[in-house]
Amino acid sequence: DQQVKQNSPSLSVQEGRISILNCDYTNSMFDYFLWYKKYPAEGPTFLISISSIKDKNEDGRFTVFLNKSAKHLSLHIVPSQPGDSAVYFCAASAISGTYKYIFGTGTRLKVLA
Amino acid sequence: SQTIHQWPATLVQPVGSPLSLECTVEGTSNPNLYWYRQAAGRGLQLLFYSVGIGQISSEVPQNLSASRPQDRQFILSSKKLLLSDSGFYLCAWSVQFKETQYFGPGTRLLVL
């Protein structure tokens, strides 16, 4: 059972436009969420996080929105740049102390110049 | 600043051979340590995590094992590799009781 789902395996966006990456989860106990960016043959790089006590967190071009009632979060990248082309993973955690995360399967973003 | 190292970067091993992947963290003490695997076309699957020396928790049944002989060293092992063990193995660390995990560069394992 996939508790964290990224239903779009790929997304193409024109440079300068907004990229919206979506993530759905099923476990209502999840209370902390992360987004990671991953280039081929490299480890994921942390991008941005959000706690369930918030519904929005912003860091430069990256904004994460959390809709707890819908069990849905999204990552907005504005404006999109060619260097943003990568695979993006969302991750969710419900266990304090150990901080075990459940990862989605990823969305490959391609930003077209 | 903290850094995390993994080696080797790439490994090709025959079926039935042993495995040892090493991960070390610098610049922090008593981190939580994690081993993940990313199989082709799939997400990251947590294999093991450790909150201290000698303390290992396994997430999925498999023929892999993990050990933490030192505070900042985490080792992933197998006595006999299977074809299905092929994948991209990632080590990660986090500060105790903090949320964000930081990943190493990964090891690509191909079992033939």
Side-chain angles (χ1 to χ4, degrees):
Chain A
D1 178 31
Q2 189 73 22
Q3 296 187 64
V4 178
K5 300 178 184 179
Q6 293 178 257
N7 292 317
S8 298
S10 63
L11 175 69
S12 291
V13 172
Q14 206 67 36
E15 181 180 8
R17 306 294 288 270
I18 183 172
S19 295
I20 300 176
L21 298 124
N22 294 305
C23 180
D24 296 294
Y25 60 95
T26 57
N27 189 340
S28 58
M29 298 300 290
F30 286 148
D31 58 5
Y32 202 81
F33 305 87
L34 305 175
W35 281 95
Y36 285 87
K37 172 182 176 181
K38 184 182 181 299
Y39 294 116
E42 293 184 11
T45 303
F46 168 71
L47 272 178
I48 193 168
S49 62
I50 189 166
S51 162
S52 60
I53 62 173
K54 292 185 173 182
D55 54 18
K56 176 183 175 182
N57 190 24
E58 191 172 356
D59 184 1
R61 297 186 297 114
F62 302 92
T63 303
V64 56
F65 295 91
L66 176 62
N67 183 334
K68 290 184 287 294
S69 60
K71 297 191 183 69
H72 176 83
L73 67 156
S74 60
L75 175 69
H76 293 210
I77 306 173
V78 183
S80 301
Q81 300 173 354
D84 296 329
S85 297
V87 177
Y88 290 79
F89 291 97
C90 64
S93 174
I95 303 173
S96 62
T98 59
Y99 296 100
K100 298 193 300 182
Y101 282 92
I102 307 296
F103 280 79
T105 52
T107 296
R108 183 177 300 279
L109 173 66
K110 187 172 184 180
V111 179
L112 306 169
Chain B
S1 64
Q2 299 86 6
T3 55
I4 178 169
H5 304 278
Q6 281 186 250
W7 62 91
T10 306
L11 191 59
V12 181
Q13 292 283 99
V15 169
S17 64
L19 172 74
S20 180
L21 302 181
E22 189 163 342
C23 170
T24 59
V25 181
E26 295 178 358
T28 188
S29 296
N30 200 26
N32 285 350
L33 295 172
Y34 310 83
W35 277 111
Y36 287 87
R37 176 171 59 202
Q38 183 186 14
R42 305 184 72 173
L44 300 176
Q45 181 185 35
L46 179 64
L47 302 175
F48 301 94
Y49 71 93
S50 171
V51 299
I53 295 174
Q55 301 178 62
I56 309 294
S57 295
S58 174
E59 287 299 294
V60 292
Q62 59 207 318
N63 71 322
L64 298 171
S65 63
S67 62
R68 186 169 177 175
Q70 300 179 45
D71 180 44
R72 290 168 290 173
Q73 184 185 31
F74 205 23
I75 297 172
L76 183 69
S77 305
S78 173
K79 292 182 180 177
K80 286 187 177 182
L81 283 169
L82 306 173
L83 287 174
S84 57
D85 291 323
S86 294
F88 193 52
Y89 288 83
L90 290 155
C91 181
W93 73 274
S94 66
V95 177
Q96 289 281 11
F97 307 117
K98 295 289 185 181
E99 294 84 5
T100 303
Q101 294 180 11
Y102 299 94
F103 286 83
T107 294
R108 184 164 302 283
L109 172 66
L110 180 60
V111 182
L112 300 176

